[in-house]
Amino acid sequence: MTTFDKREEAFEKRFAIDEELKFKAEARRNRLLGLWAAEKLGLAGDAATAYARETVASAFAEGGEKAVVARLTSDLSAKGITEDAVRAHMTELLAQAIVQVKAGA
């Protein structure tokens, strides 16, 4: 194996690790966002946990980040929370989720 091959293999491994961390951080962000929305909706305990799980699942089943934003905006519109507010909180929680995933929490 040449040095170039070793470098290429190292880059591929790093890319795979980065993609895995990105996936975990986005899933964590969606869970945190679901818990935040559940609180705004007056849900607590098991109901809040279930809502957060549904939020994470909607990202997989319905089309990613757009589906999550659409769902939460729809659910929270009666509380006066706009799509922009959901997206802003989503950005804040992504930073928090990245820290948590890197820390192994």
Side-chain angles (χ1 to χ4, degrees):
M1 185 179 276
T2 67
T3 303
F4 180 76
D5 291 336
K6 288 179 184 177
R7 263 183 92 186
E8 182 179 17
E9 187 177 309
F11 281 124
E12 288 173 358
K13 285 180 182 178
R14 184 70 212 159
F15 178 78
I17 290 169
D18 288 347
E19 287 299 306
E20 181 180 353
L21 289 174
K22 178 182 173 190
F23 173 80
K24 287 179 179 180
E26 287 175 354
R28 174 78 51 104
R29 175 208 57 203
N30 291 342
R31 184 178 63 82
L32 293 171
L33 194 62
L35 291 171
W36 169 78
E39 180 185 331
K40 298 292 182 189
L41 294 169
L43 302 174
D46 291 339
T49 303
Y51 186 86
R53 272 195 219 112
E54 291 170 12
T55 302
V56 172
S58 70
F60 298 117
E62 300 171 20
E65 186 176 303
K66 288 181 182 181
V68 171
V69 171
R71 176 171 189 226
L72 295 182
T73 300
S74 173
D75 291 350
L76 295 170
S77 64
K79 300 288 183 180
I81 298 174
T82 65
E83 179 179 338
D84 290 338
V86 170
R87 286 191 181 279
H89 201 65
M90 184 180 252
T91 301
E92 293 171 19
L93 289 177
L94 181 59
Q96 184 179 344
I98 289 170
V99 170
Q100 289 178 3
V101 168
K102 283 185 177 180

